[in-house]
Amino acid sequence: MRGGQGAAEARVLQFTNCRILRGGKLLREDLWVRGGRILDPEKLFFEERRVADERRDCGGCILAPGFIDVQINGGFGVDFSQATEDVGSGVALVARRILSHGVTSFCPTLVTSPPEVYHKVVPQIPVKSGGPHGAGVLGLHLEGPFISREKRGAHPEAHLRSFEANAFQDLLATYGPLDNVRIVTLAPELGHSHEVIRELTTRGICVSLGHSVADLRAAEDAVWSGATFITHLFNAMLPFHHRDPGIVGLLTSDRLPAGRCIFYGMIADGTHTNPAALRIAHRAHPQGLVLVTDAIPALGLGNGRHTLGQQEVEVDGLTAYVAGCSVESALEAASLHPAQLLGLEKSKGTLDFGADADFVVLDDSLHVQATYISGELVWQAEAARQ
Amino acid sequence: MKLIILDHYSQASEWAAKYIRNRIIQFNPGPEKYFTLGLPTGLPRDHPESYHSFMWNNFFKHIDIHPENTHILDGNAVDLQAECDAFEEKIKAAGGIELFVGGIGPDGHIAFNEPGSSLVSRTRVKTLAMDTILANARFFDGELTKVPTMALTVGVGTVMDAREVMILITGAHKAFALYKAIEEGVNHMWTVSAFQQHPRTVFVCDEDATLELKVKTVKYFKGLMLVHNKLVDPLYSIKEKETEKSQSSKKPYSD
């Protein structure tokens, strides 16, 4: 696929006249790509004594790692939770359309569904690399059905479940084989949840807390069992209370395993969360913020600038730029942090040498001008096309 | 020599840059080559303080030079002296150095030609003086044990063979060295003084570097700045080199 023996002979691309996001800063540097990966130009210069085969002028734009959406339920008329015969083409359509929003990798999300739906749909959505056909599928996000009744939100009540006596076996019976699954959202206050969380974690599946009425203690215990993510912070959980902050309190808890970073998804459209609340979370724990769309099949409305009282919220694909947050922080929340959540930060969500060359070209208002996957142009804005 | 005195480090740098630009244009480069300076041994190529990293980050990556045309002494070569000899050969093969640009150490050394170096020396391995090691410690988190103690360097003689020499000297800590280099005699303890016997030398410095010089010296050369600044006026582009050639035939006053 990428790299390999042919890599050394592959063409060297040099992107110039740009600012790249590296080390949390926007630097005036060139981006070098070869064989689908980011290349170290100094090594190329001194060890291989080669120059670029092709230079591309980026017109002063920003080059950021491709965005990663870990919570997206569908879009453009496609609903991932629908058990159709050809789920694959629905996923492919969404994968292709989100390229224009700068998303290069995503986790198709399934909401609470009956077991028949999981058995039919899950095997039809394998992990897949991105390319000109569309953004890469990193694995499924199964949100529910093991969630709280009171906090089910838009999930259908009839299909909610709890872990019966056989805990993990129950989960397997509900979902079917877990090969294509990357993230599971569940409510930790359900009985046997710790056993389930541990089993999922050992299988390399990220466990997320959400749609839950857990208090802070229960949430902390869940983190000790292996949970690393919070599904759409503030939504579908107990509100922050100063005597029991609930799941929200995980952002500043001092009772978590040492060195463990807890990530939290935020739907930063200015509607699901008041921007002031978003800022409180961001200031409390900036390293953990992960921007998600939680998009529904109706996604496809144009991007634009929305006002909310005194705040201005720019919603452009995945980057919701709330006035006051730095550009670098916003970009990392959409790329680096989801990559770290999934343990992929060596290859995704970064422009470090050796990483996959998935990146977006943005103008100063953070509008996507072009999207690249493995160093190949997969989408370009009308205005940019010559 | 020409002694160019600017107010601050940034102005001195800019003057030097413009001068080099003009000289490159006048040189009318074709398939010609330039050489870069020696480097401390023992540092791996990709160490952030290696000369390779320095040259890459500060020069090569900003221009379109072809790697084939860069020559940096390899401090990790198996036979260091052979590496040095080969370097001298490459200089000869390229037609000699047109313009050598260098700095000065606090002990008055040029390149790594420490006090006591022969004024007719060639490219070779040198052991660094304690002064130099101390000065370089800042690149190694202040840890003296981490600073390389040997370096490959072009010799004083090698630099004297260049058709023109430009030395950049900024900061008060270099003032005494500058004084020794230009107001005292030629002395192998202050190897930069060798350039008193070079036909075409330019010293570019800031105010602080002149602190140890006689007021008379500084005033004399400051008075010449009107003339010397003509050397950095923009020349016409290479496209109009015919016009430019006739212009540059009217050389400004030279001492």
Side-chain angles (χ1 to χ4, degrees):
Chain A
M1 255 187 309
R2 299 179 205 252
Q5 284 101 339
E9 313 312 317
R11 284 171 61 78
V12 174
L13 281 167
Q14 181 187 1
F15 294 87
T16 64
N17 191 11
C18 53
R19 289 160 284 155
I20 69 173
L21 182 69
R22 193 173 273 164
K25 293 196 173 62
L26 282 174
L27 307 172
R28 242 214 110 84
E29 291 273 353
D30 292 346
L31 187 73
W32 294 67
V33 174
R34 176 170 69 180
R37 295 221 167 100
I38 311 287
L39 180 67
D40 182 350
E42 192 181 335
K43 262 184 132 152
L44 185 79
F45 189 90
F46 287 122
E47 287 177 14
E48 294 178 52
R49 318 285 280 181
R50 271 182 72 175
V51 290
D53 294 304
E54 189 189 329
R55 274 189 190 86
R56 286 195 198 164
D57 189 318
C58 299
C61 283
I62 293 171
L63 260 53
F67 302 141
I68 300 175
D69 193 355
V70 299
Q71 188 170 8
I72 168 171
N73 305 292
F76 316 102
V78 174
D79 181 353
F80 295 140
S81 306
Q82 283 299 315
T84 65
E85 290 309 317
D86 186 13
V87 172
S89 38
V91 174
L93 187 127
V94 174
R96 197 170 35 81
R97 294 292 297 269
I98 57 179
L99 290 178
S100 64
H101 296 267
V103 178
T104 53
S105 301
F106 69 115
C107 294
T109 307
L110 270 64
V111 296
T112 295
S113 307
E116 308 86 73
V117 172
Y118 293 117
H119 295 160
K120 187 149 188 184
V121 174
V122 172
Q124 289 191 63
I125 310 181
V127 170
K128 192 174 171 177
S129 292
H133 55 272
V137 174
L138 296 174
L140 289 166
H141 178 168
L142 302 180
E143 190 187 2
F146 302 102
I147 55 177
S148 147
R149 194 159 301 267
E150 300 96 279
K151 291 292 179 187
R152 67 184 183 277
H155 291 232
E157 181 169 1
H159 300 299
L160 299 181
R161 296 170 90 84
S162 62
F163 307 112
E164 306 292 322
N166 296 321
F168 189 66
Q169 294 310 315
D170 260 357
L171 182 138
L172 279 179
T174 305
Y175 290 145
L178 297 173
D179 307 316
N180 298 337
V181 177
R182 203 69 188 78
I183 308 173
V184 170
T185 293
L186 49 78
E189 70 271 19
L190 297 178
H192 296 282
S193 68
H194 296 291
E195 194 188 309
V196 172
I197 295 174
R198 272 193 287 270
E199 286 287 345
L200 288 169
T201 309
T202 45
R203 281 167 170 69
I205 292 174
C206 167
V207 175
S208 183
L209 308 178
H211 289 278
S212 156
V213 294
D215 57 16
L216 180 57
R217 193 8 108 57
E220 284 164 346
D221 290 343
V223 173
W224 276 95
S225 294
T228 51
F229 195 42
I230 302 171
T231 301
H232 44 57
L233 188 77
F234 294 127
N235 302 113
M237 57 185 65
L238 291 177
F240 174 89
H241 185 283
H242 55 282
R243 273 196 286 277
D244 188 343
I247 292 176
V248 180
L250 286 177
L251 266 57
T252 45
S253 166
D254 59 356
R255 282 217 191 114
L256 299 181
R260 180 90 72 85
C261 180
I262 190 86
F263 292 93
Y264 55 99
M266 300 230 51
I267 307 169
D269 58 358
T271 308
H272 279 80
T273 314
N274 187 300
L278 176 98
R279 275 196 289 277
I280 287 179
H282 174 64
R283 281 183 212 176
H285 182 36
Q287 299 310 314
L289 174 58
V290 172
L291 286 173
V292 300
T293 57
D294 202 8
I296 54 172
L299 164 73
L301 301 175
N303 298 319
R305 188 176 281 269
H306 306 259
T307 50
L308 189 75
Q310 298 290 76
Q311 280 83 28
E312 256 193 299
V313 177
E314 170 106 35
V315 178
D316 187 318
L318 206 43
T319 305
Y321 177 73
V322 180
C325 162
S326 76
V327 169
E328 294 88 335
S329 283
L331 293 174
E332 284 196 326
S335 58
L336 177 65
H337 296 170
Q340 288 170 330
L341 166 71
L342 299 176
L344 298 170
E345 67 269 24
K346 287 263 176 325
S347 55
K348 301 265 185 230
T350 139
L351 296 178
D352 290 345
F353 303 137
D356 293 344
D358 297 349
F359 58 93
V360 284
V361 181
L362 304 164
D363 64 15
D364 283 328
S365 326
L366 300 184
H367 288 114
V368 181
Q369 299 301 310
T371 308
Y372 285 80
I373 293 182
S374 286
E376 210 184 325
L377 179 66
V378 295
W379 184 84
Q380 198 173 22
E382 279 304 329
R385 280 169 232 204
Q386 252 89 41
Chain B
M1 69 159 183
K2 296 189 180 71
L3 181 63
I4 313 292
I5 304 170
L6 284 310
D7 288 340
H8 296 296
Y9 171 81
S10 49
Q11 288 154 325
S13 305
E14 197 178 322
W15 196 99
K18 286 180 176 167
Y19 186 78
I20 294 171
R21 173 202 67 197
N22 283 3
R23 290 290 280 110
I24 292 174
I25 295 174
Q26 283 168 344
F27 182 70
N28 201 7
E32 302 290 315
K33 298 179 192 176
Y34 286 87
F35 277 75
T36 52
L37 191 49
L39 84 165
T41 70
L43 283 180
R45 185 207 54 74
D46 54 6
H47 189 283
E49 296 305 335
S50 78
Y51 217 74
H52 288 96
S53 296
F54 179 84
M55 290 307 296
W56 169 256
N57 283 311
N58 290 300
F59 188 40
F60 296 147
K61 82 178 177 195
H62 302 281
I63 58 175
D64 61 355
I65 189 169
H66 201 283
E68 296 298 310
N69 292 332
T70 67
H71 306 272
I72 301 184
L73 283 167
D74 180 6
N76 292 312
V78 173
D79 184 345
L80 292 176
Q81 193 50 48
E83 171 77 8
C84 294
D85 295 338
F87 199 73
E88 290 276 343
E89 288 304 314
K90 282 188 218 162
I91 295 177
K92 261 210 223 47
I97 299 173
E98 180 65 23
L99 171 65
F100 179 92
V101 180
I104 190 175
D107 58 2
H109 72 231
I110 177 68
F112 284 115
N113 292 287
E114 306 286 58
S117 296
S118 160
L119 297 181
V120 293
S121 51
R122 310 303 304 183
T123 305
R124 67 214 184 286
V125 185
K126 281 293 289 183
T127 309
L128 300 178
M130 183 47 89
D131 263 354
T132 306
I133 293 175
L134 288 171
N136 287 336
R138 70 183 192 273
F139 297 122
F140 297 90
D141 302 318
E143 289 210 41
L144 289 183
T145 44
K146 287 195 181 148
V147 185
T149 54
M150 311 255 280
L152 299 186
T153 179
V154 289
V156 183
T158 318
V159 181
M160 284 290 287
D161 283 349
R163 284 181 276 286
E164 186 171 1
V165 177
M166 173 192 267
I167 308 291
L168 291 152
I169 310 165
T170 53
H173 57 301
K174 302 287 176 78
F176 192 71
L178 178 60
Y179 151 66
K180 280 290 185 185
I182 67 177
E183 284 189 341
E184 298 276 299
V186 174
N187 188 328
H188 68 171
M189 284 299 166
W190 302 89
T191 48
V192 179
S193 64
F195 301 123
Q196 292 178 26
Q197 298 195 297
H198 189 288
R200 231 178 137 183
T201 307
V202 182
F203 287 90
V204 182
C205 54
D206 63 358
E207 281 285 345
D208 285 347
T210 64
L211 287 173
E212 295 279 356
L213 299 179
K214 285 200 172 69
V215 173
K216 186 169 80 172
T217 310
V218 175
K219 281 195 166 173
Y220 171 68
F221 283 104
K222 277 193 169 171
L224 289 175
M225 282 308 288
L226 213 58
V227 171
H228 289 158
N229 275 334
K230 293 207 170 79
L231 294 169
V232 292
D233 280 343
L235 300 174
Y236 291 111
S237 70
I238 298 178
K239 289 189 190 87
E240 296 153 287
K241 64 181 182 197
E242 293 314 310
T243 333
E244 172 253 311
K245 272 192 171 147
S246 66
Q247 295 249 345
S248 67
S249 66
K250 288 182 273 179
K251 280 214 164 11
Y253 173 85
S254 187
D255 47 86

